[in-house]
Structure formats: C-alpha cells, structure tokens
Amino acid sequence: MSRSQPAAGQAGAVPAPRRRASLRPWRRAIVGGAIVATIMLVAIFAPLLAPYDPNEQDLLNQLLPPVWAGGNWDHPLGTDNLGRDTLSRLIYGSRVAMIVAVAAASGALVLGTALAIVAGYFGGIVDWIVSRLVELWLCFPPVVLSLILIVGFGVGLRNVILAIILVDWTRFCRVVRAEVLVVRRNDYIDAARLAGFSHWRTIRREVLPAVAPLILTILSLEMGIAVIVEAILSFVGMSVESTIPAWGVMIADARKDMYQAVWGLVLPILAIIVTVLGFNLLGDGLRRALDPKLRQRVIQ
Amino acid sequence: MSGGVLGVALRRIGVSLPLVFLVSVLVFVVLRLIPADPVAMSVPPNATRAEIEALRAEMGLTLPIHEQFWIWFAKAAGADFGKSIAFAQPVSRLIGQALPATIELVVVAAVFATIIGLAGGLLMYRVAGGRGEAASDLASTLIMSIPEFLWAIFFILLFGVALNILPFTGRLDAGITVGRITGFLLVDTLIQGRFGAFLNALSHLLLPSMSLALGTAPLLMRVLRSSLMEVGNEDYMMMARLRGFSERRVLVHHAFKNAFLPTLNLMGVQFSFLFGGTLLVEVIYSYPGLGSLMVQAVANTDLPVIQGVALVYAVAVLLINLGVDLAALMLNPKLRIAK
Amino acid sequence: MKALLEIQGVVVTAPVGGGRVAVLRDIDLSVKPGGVLGLVGESGAGKSMIGRLVGGVLPPAFRVDRGAMIFAERDLIGMPAAERRGLLGREIGFIPQQPMTSLNPVRNVGSLFDEHLAKLGVAGRAERRAQAVAALEAVHLPEPASLLGRYAHELSGGMCQRVLIAMAFASRPKLLVADEPTTALDVITQARIVALLGDLCRQYGTAVLFVTHDLRLAAQICDEIAVMYAGEVVERAPARDLLSTPRHPYSQALRSCSPSLDGPLARLVSLPEHMPGLGALAGMAGCRFAPRCPIADHRCAGHAPPLAENAPGRWVRAAGQCLSAALPARGDVPHGKGDAEGGGRLALAAEGLHKTFVSRHPLLFWKKRRVDAVKNVSFRLRAGEFLGIVGQSGSGKSTVARMLLGLEVPSAGRIALDGADVTGRFSAHAAERTKRIQMIFQDPQSALNPRRRVASIVTQPMEVVGRSAWPERLARAKKLLAETGLAPEMAERFPAQLSGGQRQRVNIARSLCNTPRVLVADEIVSGLDVSVQAQILNLLADLRDHHEIALVLISHDLSVVRYLCDRVIVMYRGEAVEEGETEAVFRSPRHWYTKALLAAVPPDDVNHVWDPHTASSALSRLDPAIES
C-alpha cells in the first residue's frame, strides 16, 4: 500500500552522483585494525623482537620492577618470580593469543555460518534441528563448556582451538541465521531462482554477499572473545603446555606475588585488554562502515 | 488471558525437560573422550592389576557405554552424582555446600548488572546525537573489552591491595562464623539477627559481584540504547504526542516497556554468561562456590564432580532462561497467543 | 463565518547541505467550523507535513520560519508547548495513517483509553471505563467491554482505526486531522471508515483536515480541496469544481493520470520524472512544477508565482500559460480489446489450483496447522491477453501468482505453459519455466539486489545460460533499458541511486530479459504515486503493442485492472467468485462481493453521488463475518 512520506525530501531517491569516498566512517575500524596489525606483527616476529628466551630463568634477578618503577634497562618491563624477562614473555605470549584468535574464530565462522545458511535458507526440518542444537549448546555457560571439552580432549594448542570452535560456533550460527532469514524474505532471492539460478548459486551470489558484512563483524568480535577464552583457560592451567608462554599463565603466576610485584600482574592484563579492544574496535568499525543498516544494531 | 500465559509457560517448561536430558548426554559423552584413566588416579600407585579391575567394576566402567550412561542418569535424576575421587565425599554434598554461595553471588551481580545496564542505557540514549555520543560509545567499547576476571583482578589490586578498604577473600572474615540454615549468608545472618555479620558478608560480595556486573552490563546498555532509538520512530509514539502527552510521559509510559523487551531477551543470554563468569571470579576471590569446586575438580580430573557440576550449571542456565521467558511473556502480549 | 483554523503564510524549512530549504512554502489555508478541507497530493507534496505542523511534531531540525496558525483565535505557533499539548487530544484530534502500529503494542485498549480519559480530566477509574465502553459502542465496535482487554495485534486494521476514532471523539474535538486514514485499509473497510467519520463529524460539528492522495475520494467527502505539490498549495477550489474542472496543470494531470472505474477509457496522462526531493528543491527559484509541466514556458522560471483568486472561491498558483492553455490531448483507448478472444495460442493454463499451507509449531515440529489459501482456481490465458486477478489482501491472489511461477508447489491442480506441463517443484522444470514465464515483483526495493548494478540485474538470467560475456550482457542491458524507457547510463547505477518509478522499470526490464511469453505482475503499482503509476501502466500497455506478451496482473485496485485487462477474475477467501470480460463484469457484476468492491470505489463523475454507507452496508448484510 502506498505510504506517504512525512518529509518532502524523502520522495523518491535523489539520483545521487557517486559519493565521495570518505574515511570518516572507517576511522574506528582503522584504529582497531592498526592495533590488531601491530600485535600480529609482534607475534610473527617474536624471535627477532624479544630480548631474551621467554623461558630463560635468571634466579639472581627475580621480580624486578619495570624501568619506570625503579628497574633497569636490562629488563625494561621487569622479571617474574623465576627471573624470566616479562617483555620477552609478553612478546611470545602474543603468539598463542593470535594463533588461537585466528584459527578458532575462523573455524567457528566456517562451522557456524555453514549451518546458519543451510538452516536459514532452506528452513523446515533442517532449520528446526539446527535451532534446537544451538539451544542445547546455549544451556552451558561458554567457559564451563570449554573447560569440559578441554578435560575431554586434554591440553595443547590444537585442542584449545578445537574447544573454542566447538563452543563458539553458535555465536555465528544464531546471528547469521537470523540475518539469512531476513535476506531470504527479499524478492531478489526469488528473482534469482526465476532467472534460473540453482540453490547453490543463489546462496553464493545473492545470500552470502548480503550477510558478508555481518560475518566479518562477528569474526572480528569473536577473535577478541577467543583471546579472552584462551586467557581464562591458561589462567586455570588448562590451555597450552607449561613450556609455552601465554598471557593467562603470566597472570596466574604473577597473582601469587601481587603484593611485591604489581606490574607483573598489570602488564599481561593490559596486553589482553589492548588486544581485545583492538578486535572490538575493528568489529564495531566494520559494522558501522560496511552496512549503514547495521549501524544501530548491537551484535551479541 | 491468564489461561494463555499458563499454557504457554507450561509448554515452555515441557520443552526444557528434553533439553536437560540432552545436556546430560552431551556431558557424559564428552567426558568419556578423556584420555586419562579416572581409575588410575584414584588408586595408590602400587595397586595391583586385580585391584584396579575390581575398582573398574565397582565404578561400572566395564559395562557398555550406554548402560553406564543410563545408570549414571538414573542416579543423577535423584541428585546422586556418585562420589568424588579427590574429596572422597558424595558429589551431591559438595554441590549442596557450594551452590548457595554461587547463587547468592549471581543474584547480587545480576541486580548490579541490571541497574548499571538500564541506567547506562538511558544515559547513552540521552547523550545520543550530541557531543557525548562518541565518548559514551568509546567508553562502552572499552568496558566491553574487559572480561569479568580481569575486572576481578583490577578490583583486588585497587580496593584490596592499594586502598585496602574492601575484603577480597572468601565469604566472611576469618573470625566470623554463621550457623547454616539456608546456606545463603545474607539470609542466614538476617534470620539470626546478626547485622554485623550481614554487613561483613555483603562487603565480601561487593567486589566479586561488581566484577561480574561490569562484565555483563555494557551489552545491556547498548541494546537498551538502540531499542529506545528504534522505538522513538514508531507510529504509536507519534500518536501519543499527538494526543497531547508530555515527552516525559511518552518516554516512560509508551517507549520504555517496548524498548525493554529486547533488553530482557538479551538478559537471558547475559545472565547465563554471568553464571559462567562466576567460575574464574570465584577462584580469584577464593570464594567457596561451584566455580571453585569445578576448577579444583578439573585440576584433579575428578570426573564425578565435573559431571555433576556441569549438569547443575546447565540446569541453572535453563532455569534463568525460563524465568526470562516467563517475564517476557508477562510483558509482551504478542507472545501470549497459544500457537 | 469565522475560520476555525487559519494557516497564514507559513514557511517551514529544513537543513539541506549548508543552507535551509523551504519544505512548506507560503501555505495559506483555512478550515471553517464543521467544514471539511481536503489536502490532496502525492507523497512528498508536504500534505502530511501540514498535519504534523498542526500537531507541533515536525521532524527534528525542521522549523517554522514565518507565518501564523490561528486556531480558535489563538496562534498555535507562538503558544507555549504545554498550552498546545492541552489542546491536542482535546480540541484537536488526530487519526493516523497506520492504525495498527499507532496503538502501543504492549498496552491494551482499556489502558490506552483510561490514560486518554484521565488526561481529559475524567475522574474515577470506573467512570472512565464506562465512558470508554460507550465511546467504543458509538463507533460500532462489537462487544466493547471485552475489547478493553485486547491488544492491537489481536485486532484488524479497521478495528484499530475505529478504536483511534473513538479516542479522538471522546473529547468532541472542534478539529480533526485525518492523515490518510484509510490508505492502509482495503477498499471496503475504507468506505466504512469514511462513512463513520462523516457521521461523527456531522453529529458533533467537528471540522476536518482530510489528507489523502485520492482526488476522487476527496471530491466526494470534502467541501473544499487544496492540491499540493512540492511543499506548495497549487490550487484551492470547492471540492466538486476541482474534480470536474481542475485548472492548474498539476491538478489536471493528477485527475487524468489515474484510471477510473467509469467513463470512457483514454490513455493516461503521464508526467515525466517524479516530484523533486528535498535536495532538488534548493535550486528551484520559480514554479516547482515547471520541470515536469507539459506547458511550461520561460515565464515559469525566475520567481515563484503567487496563489491568486481568479474566480470566486478558486485560487490557482499560476504563471505562464497555466490558465490559457490546456494539457495536450490524450490518446485513445490504449489497447485494442476484442482480438483477445480471437483464438490466439494458449500461453498458460491453470486447472483446479489448490494450495494448503501447513505451518509448524515453533518448538514441536510434528504439530501442524493447515490453512487453505487457494481453493480450486482455474483459468486460461492466450498469447497477448491481459488477465486481471482482483481481491483484498489475504484473498489468495498472490499465492496464485507464486504457484504460476513455481515459487510455491500447488497442493492440487495442474499448470501448463505453452502446452507443457510444469506442475510441481520449480527445479523440476526450471529451464522450461525461466524461458516462458517471468515475474514482476511488487516491491522493487526488495526485488533488486542492492549490491548489483542495474546492468547486472536486468541481465541476470544470462548469468546461467551459457555464461555470456560482459560486453554481450551490457549490450542486452541497454536494449532492455531503452525498451522500458530508461536512459542507457542507468546501466552503471545501483538500485539505491534510482527513484521508485525507475526501480520499477528496472524490475520490468529484468522480467523481459528472456523474452518470456507470460508475465505475472503482483501489485506492481500499489507502492507508487499516481503520476508514476501512470508511467508504468502505459509502459505495460505499450509492451503489449510491441510484443505478443500475455500478462497476469494481480491488483487490489479495480481501476488499474479495468485500464489494462481484457478479462478479470475476482477472488474472495481463496476462491474465484466471478470471472469474465472486464467491461462486462464491472458494468453488471453478479456476485455480491464484486458488487461491494465496485460500490466501495468513489466515482470519477462528480455528479454521480457516492454514499459510503450503501457501499459498506450492502456487504455487511450479505456477509456479517467480514471485518468491520
């Protein structure tokens, strides 16, 4: 039915000339992306950047403070209770964080999005099963489920990634399925079928591009979540093997000495927060820049 | 109308029961993947093969897996989760001791989270469009980037170590003991009329519950803000203004309830995350709840405890979601049509 | 008599780019006590903005720059907000365009009424309840007491509108602002709401500002009509005079660009382009209609012409040759009917189509609910024939379309295209279908993928067939665009860069890509303004002249069907209740439902008196179950 518009200006789109490319909507994504890229580079070039071997103990220099708190330039960020260099451990710790972030988030993306698209596009019994599966998964707080999975699989980087994938695919599945249902209601999906497109081709050419901005956004947010979950797991000693430095392990170790050496606790915490903030800014920025419709929406 | 509510509510409960069953299957199956042998850990290192086999049989591990499951499930349905390997106590007793502490923590945290979430959401709505919008946006993104266990450590460093004004271990100061009636300290102390102990228990709850609340609230704020903005464009808002109602009345009586519904739905998810968050927060604050129990059990590969606690978590989450759904049912007439 | 509402030289501006643009320019209007003023125009004309101006709810950043608005000797514009709010809902009532969404979804009718009456100063909950029941009874709502406990989503659109009318009349207002109060409702409900409003206004002596896009409806129920275009009143005249002898070129065009149910069929006048948007208004110094005006000359640019009285009671904003020259004469009947029966090839045959929808329980998937959407519908369509299917929303007409296309699988019945049986799932006969039958979708906004360029959209079928190279596709796209009256440079645009009418042309162009024999068009003009609608209807008529294409036109608008179609099927609750040649069916309908539909449409001839009461009461006697 015709619905008259309140404002004169809204009648018919103005055939606008192509908009001048502006960086403004991208500002947030750029800041986030820069943070993430920096940490990625640190992780890749860790052996070149780190002044010490992260596991090298120096029992004469235990619990040194950072340089601004009375330490010395041999260990700019101080040492831990075994005299290991904090800076080197932070630098190497970024490797675990980044590997888990990329691998676990991508895995969750593939599993969750595939199920979401099949469920949302075809509907019916497939959708029913997938929806109930998500509901079943949501019965567990994510931390509890990942702990159970790690107990089952055993510790190690591969198992941590697998556990996070198996826990967090639902995040993609829920949000993307809802979006596919919205896209599916558009007549251009039926129009593609009438143009002779197969289901597979319709999904690839019409549905996927429509949900891609959303997927990218969740991917970025999920990377931040994966960093947190890995930190939680390593905090309780259920993540990587003890010889590999990880931020969560550093926090757990430093907690015992927090009265004497507060910076040993604060620095890995800051590392986690900055990393997660980077991913969140990137995700939030992508959401704003890629799809104006998503601008107001909050993605869980 | 109330008949409709009851019908829908009963149906909702009916659907939850099979979920509990599937949850227990999931827990059982995952923990059977375990590479370590639970028996090997619960016998002395010099045990003979025969002794081990005897224990295996006693624990039912020689039966086919589905029979093992049914035996375990039948017992679990009667709140019998077996005996802890590490603590040498019935799992149900361990859980019974820890559960009230965790529930107390979760409830107080949920109250804080709701207050912060709603107040923050309204504030963000008020500053939207102005100079404050970018600042409030950035602040909420920053807060959202800090998980609750990092808040917990921050608070200990700030209020416990640096300022030394709030306690950060356990549920009570060392010298205080409270007779156990319900297990909820805030309730027990009041029943016994011991207000000093009540305040002490409350001060112990303050830091952990605030950590949990700050991990939960920012998303609530954002959702409330954006749904208030969406509701602002609705026809009924315009109609209320055209009938001469003041902006304040329009916001409170016409906008808020509609905008609250999406926030309420989110609360279901958020509060179950909050329940999971207690795990680390309890460990950090040495708070004797389910989370501490779980982490110890995980460290000891204490299978019966892990299974039992996991099941309790899942049931708790289901109950939270059920409660939120029922609340939504009360507030949203559209849901009341029995399908 | 002194005017109740006098709008004097009001200018409303909105920010555009760096400066401000007059969204409403020099508005002068007056409503007499008990009188009915119609504001007529297309969307974007600013007619709803006048309603919002009276209510003091202009969009953010819009402001009144000049003028006064005297209501009962007080200036609404200069008045403090609190005093103005006191008048709203008491002396000035409002009826909205979207009744269902104008009732708060989480509050029941009783609570809204209670709040409203409390504001009016009615003391005591019980007293308010009694008054609410009486008010709902007065608007003929059944079981008013139980209605108080119900919510908007449990009521039909017509019932919601009655509730809002009851609320507005609770204070016996002096002025009622009705903003397209019947646009969202179907024709029969529209007639009933119009009848009710008329009765209540007469009873209480309420004056009405009636905003509508329907000139014929306005001519029947208003005393005076003001035609608006791009934020200006272009003509003001007594209602009947305006319909019978419109003077401003835009009024003339408005009248003859929408098809009618009576009188001879003539080709519709179609204005080029569309109404200027906010951005375009900024650069317009002279007459805002001039760019689309068929008789504009050099005098129309430069300065804005004033609204001047050139005969008693008749005001026209005229410049140039507005008053001396007539619009160019229109062509004849757009299509030669008659030869349709001449035994052309059978393009499409549908026999005994039946569709039952099964919806699953949201949680228990084995629980099902069945709804019969279409029952036993059969028809045949010959090459070059245009068939109309009319009915209200929910009558099953769109489901028929989707079954013809293969987007729904019929529960029973057969469909044959060019003699080949294509019943069943779409993929089973995909190749036969995509070449022979295509669809023009209702809403181009949703039918055009916003991420594809126009050239890629219109040649989408070529993506599958043999994977044509891009130059080949571009050439084909330009040909299709030319055929649908679009400039070749549109090929590079994205849908968001097109106007509503252009999007619908792209939509049509795509359906022609495979040169199908049958087109199915589902309500393709219902979202468009009349002047743009005329462009599309004429385009379809031209297509028939150039190709031997058959069309199934699905519409709720009887006059559109009369303009284009040789034969018509009337659907009611999933059944085809009447079928025949369009002229014959519309001249002497046999089924009561067809009669009611026809009676509900206001006529083109002003001397033909239309009474909405007869239109609605005839129906309620025949089918008491139909929604009120």
Side-chain angles (χ1 to χ4, degrees), chain A residues 197-219:
Chain A
F197 280 29
S198 63
H199 284 304
W200 170 232
R201 196 183 180 85
T202 309
I203 287 176
R204 215 162 32 110
R205 297 278 290 124
E206 311 283 318
V207 179
L208 256 182
V211 295
L214 180 66
I215 293 176
L216 251 150
T217 301
I218 314 172
L219 177 68

Coordinates of all heavy atoms in Angstrom, one line a residue, chain A residues 197-219:
Chain A
F197 N 18.8 -19.5 -11.5 CA 19.9 -19.8 -10.6 C 19.6 -21.1 -9.8 O 18.4 -21.3 -9.3 CB 20.1 -18.7 -9.6 CG 20.9 -17.5 -10.1 CD1 20.9 -17.2 -11.5 CD2 21.7 -16.8 -9.3 CE1 21.6 -16.2 -12.0 CE2 22.4 -15.7 -9.8 CZ 22.4 -15.4 -11.1
S198 N 20.6 -21.9 -9.6 CA 20.4 -23.1 -8.7 C 20.4 -22.6 -7.2 O 20.8 -21.4 -7.0 CB 21.5 -24.1 -8.9 OG 22.7 -23.5 -8.5
H199 N 20.0 -23.4 -6.3 CA 20.1 -23.0 -4.9 C 21.5 -22.6 -4.5 O 21.7 -21.6 -3.8 CB 19.6 -24.2 -4.0 CG 18.1 -24.3 -4.0 ND1 17.2 -23.3 -3.7 CD2 17.3 -25.4 -4.3 CE1 16.0 -23.7 -3.8 NE2 16.0 -25.0 -4.1
W200 N 22.4 -23.5 -4.9 CA 23.8 -23.2 -4.5 C 24.3 -21.9 -5.1 O 24.9 -21.1 -4.4 CB 24.7 -24.4 -5.1 CG 26.1 -24.2 -5.0 CD1 27.0 -24.4 -6.0 CD2 26.9 -23.8 -3.8 NE1 28.3 -24.1 -5.6 CE2 28.3 -23.8 -4.2 CE3 26.6 -23.5 -2.5 CZ2 29.3 -23.4 -3.4 CZ3 27.6 -23.1 -1.7 CH2 29.0 -23.1 -2.1
R201 N 23.9 -21.6 -6.3 CA 24.4 -20.4 -7.0 C 23.7 -19.2 -6.3 O 24.3 -18.1 -6.1 CB 24.0 -20.4 -8.4 CG 24.7 -19.4 -9.3 CD 24.3 -19.4 -10.7 NE 25.0 -18.4 -11.4 CZ 26.2 -18.6 -11.9 NH1 26.8 -19.7 -11.8 NH2 26.8 -17.6 -12.5
T202 N 22.4 -19.4 -6.0 CA 21.7 -18.3 -5.3 C 22.4 -18.0 -3.9 O 22.6 -16.8 -3.6 CB 20.2 -18.7 -5.0 OG1 19.7 -19.2 -6.3 CG2 19.4 -17.5 -4.5
I203 N 22.7 -19.0 -3.2 CA 23.4 -18.8 -1.9 C 24.7 -18.1 -2.1 O 25.0 -17.1 -1.4 CB 23.6 -20.1 -1.2 CG1 22.3 -20.7 -0.7 CG2 24.6 -20.0 -0.1 CD1 22.4 -22.1 -0.1
R204 N 25.5 -18.5 -3.1 CA 26.8 -18.0 -3.3 C 26.7 -16.5 -3.8 O 27.5 -15.7 -3.4 CB 27.5 -18.8 -4.3 CG 29.0 -19.0 -4.1 CD 29.6 -20.1 -4.8 NE 28.9 -20.3 -6.1 CZ 29.4 -20.1 -7.3 NH1 30.6 -19.7 -7.4 NH2 28.6 -20.3 -8.3
R205 N 25.8 -16.2 -4.8 CA 25.9 -14.9 -5.4 C 24.9 -13.9 -4.8 O 25.1 -12.7 -4.9 CB 25.5 -15.1 -6.9 CG 26.4 -15.9 -7.7 CD 27.6 -15.2 -8.2 NE 27.3 -14.2 -9.2 CZ 27.6 -12.9 -9.1 NH1 28.1 -12.4 -8.0 NH2 27.2 -12.1 -10.0
E206 N 23.9 -14.4 -4.1 CA 22.9 -13.4 -3.6 C 22.9 -13.4 -2.0 O 22.8 -12.3 -1.4 CB 21.5 -13.8 -4.1 CG 21.4 -14.0 -5.6 CD 21.4 -12.7 -6.4 OE1 20.8 -11.7 -6.0 OE2 22.1 -12.7 -7.4
V207 N 22.9 -14.6 -1.4 CA 22.8 -14.6 0.1 C 24.1 -14.3 0.7 O 24.2 -13.4 1.6 CB 22.3 -16.0 0.6 CG1 22.2 -16.0 2.1 CG2 20.9 -16.3 -0.1
L208 N 25.2 -14.9 0.3 CA 26.5 -14.7 1.0 C 27.0 -13.3 1.0 O 27.3 -12.7 2.0 CB 27.5 -15.7 0.4 CG 27.9 -16.9 1.3 CD1 29.0 -17.7 0.6 CD2 28.3 -16.5 2.7
P209 N 26.9 -12.6 -0.2 CA 27.4 -11.2 -0.2 C 26.5 -10.4 0.7 O 27.0 -9.4 1.3 CB 27.1 -10.8 -1.7 CG 27.1 -12.0 -2.5 CD 26.6 -13.1 -1.6
A210 N 25.3 -10.7 0.9 CA 24.4 -9.9 1.7 C 24.7 -10.0 3.2 O 24.6 -9.1 4.0 CB 22.9 -10.2 1.5
V211 N 25.2 -11.2 3.6 CA 25.5 -11.4 5.0 C 27.0 -11.3 5.3 O 27.4 -11.3 6.5 CB 25.0 -12.8 5.5 CG1 23.5 -12.9 5.5 CG2 25.6 -13.9 4.8
A212 N 27.8 -11.0 4.3 CA 29.2 -11.0 4.5 C 29.7 -9.9 5.4 O 30.5 -10.1 6.3 CB 29.9 -10.8 3.1
P213 N 29.1 -8.7 5.4 CA 29.5 -7.6 6.3 C 29.3 -8.1 7.8 O 30.1 -7.8 8.6 CB 28.6 -6.4 6.0 CG 28.1 -6.6 4.6 CD 28.1 -8.1 4.4
L214 N 28.1 -8.7 8.0 CA 27.8 -9.2 9.3 C 28.8 -10.2 9.8 O 29.3 -10.2 10.9 CB 26.4 -9.7 9.3 CG 25.9 -10.3 10.7 CD1 25.8 -9.1 11.7 CD2 24.6 -11.0 10.5
I215 N 29.1 -11.2 8.9 CA 30.0 -12.2 9.2 C 31.4 -11.6 9.6 O 32.0 -12.0 10.6 CB 30.2 -13.2 8.1 CG1 28.9 -14.0 7.9 CG2 31.3 -14.2 8.3 CD1 28.8 -14.9 6.7
L216 N 31.9 -10.7 8.8 CA 33.1 -10.0 9.1 C 33.2 -9.4 10.4 O 34.1 -9.5 11.2 CB 33.4 -9.0 8.0 CG 34.5 -9.3 7.0 CD1 34.2 -8.7 5.7 CD2 35.8 -8.9 7.6
T217 N 32.1 -8.7 10.7 CA 32.0 -8.1 12.0 C 32.0 -9.1 13.2 O 32.8 -8.9 14.1 CB 30.6 -7.3 12.1 OG1 30.6 -6.4 11.1 CG2 30.5 -6.6 13.4
I218 N 31.3 -10.1 13.1 CA 31.3 -11.1 14.2 C 32.7 -11.8 14.2 O 33.1 -12.1 15.3 CB 30.2 -12.2 14.0 CG1 28.9 -11.6 13.6 CG2 30.0 -13.0 15.2 CD1 27.9 -12.6 13.2
L219 N 33.3 -12.0 13.1 CA 34.6 -12.6 13.1 C 35.5 -11.8 13.9 O 36.3 -12.4 14.8 CB 35.1 -12.7 11.6 CG 36.5 -13.3 11.5 CD1 36.5 -14.8 11.9 CD2 37.1 -13.1 10.1

